Amino acid sequence: MPSPHPLPLAGVTVVSVEQAVAAPYATRQLADLGARVIKVERTDGGDFARRYDTAVHGQASYFVWLNRSKESVCLDLKSPEGREILEELLTGADVFVQNLAPGAADRLGLDPDGLQARHPSLVPCRITGWGASGPWSDRKAYDLLAQCQTGLLSITGTPDEAVRSGISVADIAAGMYAYSGILTALYTRATTGRAPTVDVSLFEALAEWMGQPALYTEYGGTPPPRVGARHATIAPYGPFTTAGGKDVLLSVQNEREWAALCTVVLGTPQLAVDPRFATGPDRVAHREALEARVAERFASLATEEALELLADAGIAAAGVNSVPEFLDHPVLAERDRWRRVEVPGAPAPVRALRPPADLGGVEPRMEPVPAAGAHTRRILASLGRAPEEIARLLAAGVAEADD
């Protein structure tokens, strides 16, 4: 559906030498709001994330999620002609994003200082694993490595086993901070004329998200324990199984809610004044006894009955959904969150969620996911290359097109 108001980033051009998750997530969010995003891919199959899986009509689910509304050009950046084409693209760009392996951007002359010397108004955004400087700047990093090094794995899972997050939280965090950093840099350029560099690392993005466990550990004396789907420092806050076999997660945040749980849901108002459970830290200290009482009660309740009692008590609660249940969630349906996006080779457009931040009157752009090199010929032509020159570049392997 067309947007009743202009897209806020219309007129902004982003060139991105990107791969995997972090940088594509940042640039997809820019594309959602109208930026022209030119995705520069390798000539040997493009972004390797295209081959992570084949779940979406032969396309990778990661790639489909992260790359709608972009233009794809395949260039050999190790060749002088490939780099020359990239420089021409940068001449007309507002933002340059890259998340190449350590040292690769510098070897290609794509370091922020060099870029801004040649293109003073360009906003360079560099996404690294461990930081652009420092003792680990030359190390590769992947999402799970960042989860390990920030301590996230040590607090995620059960007492017997550490468990990775089920989604790429470090990549997503870095992509979010890159996106907000780029918007801030564009605002700075518009108000001061200065185009600042944006630097984000997976490790430091996820380190920010570890702020509460870090404070709890440093000043509380012990790290939060691994407690499965329960909350490590609040109780009761976790899933309990109803008579119907469905897990219902409830969250008690304060003494009022604790008293309401005891009276309305558990039917034992005297429990609310039990000194073992008087405060939040008391309830955590006596978690085992507390959760046994809650579990016993829930085992006697049908799922809907449990949810109704929790609602009557004013306690936040929800069933623990599977992914198929999430896909059919009534909130997403009733709030019109689903859109359709074209995908290469798919018999019909696929479902995709619109971005979560609604801007009044603005319908985000959700255009097709490109095949590798889908726009190579068009982009080369826009740079003034004649058809015979484009044919030569393709034949020489400097560029690759999806014909």
Side-chain angles (χ1 to χ4, degrees):
M1 64 181 70
S3 180
H5 297 289
L7 289 166
L9 296 184
V12 172
T13 297
V14 179
V15 175
S16 188
V17 181
E18 61 181 29
Q19 56 197 2
V21 175
Y25 188 44
T27 59
R28 195 218 73 195
Q29 293 175 88
L30 298 169
D32 287 342
L33 293 182
R36 180 192 184 194
V37 176
I38 301 172
K39 181 183 179 78
V40 179
E41 302 191 62
R42 300 161 60 102
T43 53
D44 57 355
D47 183 344
F48 56 76
R50 289 181 178 275
R51 297 177 291 282
Y52 277 168
D53 61 70
T54 56
V56 186
H57 302 292
Q59 304 293 320
S61 53
Y62 272 99
F63 194 86
V64 170
W65 168 45
L66 296 169
N67 290 284
R68 63 176 178 247
S69 305
K70 300 180 184 180
E71 300 173 38
S72 171
V73 55
C74 291
L75 298 174
D76 177 9
L77 296 182
K78 294 181 180 179
S79 71
E81 285 186 297
R83 287 197 300 276
E84 180 183 337
I85 293 167
L86 178 61
E87 284 296 320
E88 291 180 48
L89 290 172
L90 292 174
T91 298
D94 299 284
V95 180
F96 174 69
V97 182
Q98 64 89 3
N99 65 332
L100 296 172
D106 289 354
R107 291 191 295 272
L108 294 171
L110 300 176
D111 58 288
D113 290 343
L115 284 168
Q116 289 199 309
R118 302 190 300 275
H119 310 284
S121 65
L122 185 70
V123 172
C125 176
R126 173 172 53 188
I127 302 176
T128 60
W130 309 103
S133 62
W136 284 24
S137 60
D138 61 345
R139 294 191 184 190
K140 282 188 176 182
Y142 297 109
D143 182 88
L144 187 52
L145 299 178
Q147 290 189 42
C148 290
Q149 287 294 301
T150 56
L152 178 59
L153 247 66
S154 75
I155 60 171
T156 305
T158 68
D160 297 326
E161 182 183 13
V163 177
R164 69 174 289 273
S165 170
I167 59 174
S168 302
V169 288
D171 284 317
I172 293 169
M176 288 298 303
Y177 288 119
Y179 169 60
S180 61
I182 289 166
L183 294 179
T184 303
L186 288 172
Y187 178 80
T188 301
R189 190 185 70 172
T191 54
T192 70
R194 183 178 67 89
T197 294
V198 179
D199 259 316
V200 179
S201 77
L202 272 66
F203 176 66
E204 289 162 355
L206 195 55
E208 162 65 15
W209 287 15
M210 286 291 292
Q212 180 273 325
L215 289 167
Y216 183 92
T217 300
E218 183 166 1
Y219 297 100
T222 57
R226 289 198 304 266
V227 289
R230 293 165 175 80
H231 196 290
T233 59
I234 303 174
Y237 191 156
F240 296 90
T241 306
T242 64
K246 174 85 171 179
D247 282 347
V248 170
L249 189 141
L250 64 89
S251 171
V252 169
Q253 298 276 329
N254 52 54
E255 272 58 60
R256 184 202 64 76
E257 291 181 355
W258 167 239
L261 179 74
C262 294
T263 302
V264 178
V265 182
L266 303 183
T268 54
Q270 65 274 19
L271 199 62
V273 295
D274 188 318
R276 293 176 298 168
F277 312 129
T279 68
D282 291 331
R283 291 191 289 276
V284 172
H286 298 93
R287 180 196 301 273
E288 187 173 342
L290 169 61
E291 291 185 346
R293 297 292 293 270
V294 179
E296 181 181 10
R297 173 61 170 152
F298 270 62
S300 70
L301 297 172
T303 301
E304 288 306 316
E305 184 182 6
L307 289 169
E308 287 173 9
L309 287 171
L310 289 162
D312 291 343
I315 294 171
V320 179
N321 279 349
S322 65
V323 176
E325 287 171 321
F326 153 70
L327 289 172
D328 291 329
H329 204 289
V331 170
L332 298 176
E334 291 298 322
R335 285 180 44 76
D336 191 29
R337 303 311 296 180
W338 292 106
R339 296 292 182 269
R340 294 283 176 177
V341 173
E342 293 181 19
V343 173
V350 303
R351 286 205 303 171
L353 286 168
R354 61 172 288 153
D358 288 337
L359 302 177
V362 173
E363 177 66 23
R365 184 177 64 166
M366 300 183 70
E367 294 179 357
V369 175
H375 303 87
T376 298
R377 293 181 187 274
R378 186 190 313 167
I379 287 171
L380 291 175
S382 73
L383 295 175
R385 301 299 198 278
E388 57 273 17
E389 174 67 3
I390 294 173
R392 185 190 67 78
L393 292 169
L394 294 174
V398 172
E400 196 169 81
D402 175 61
D403 294 318

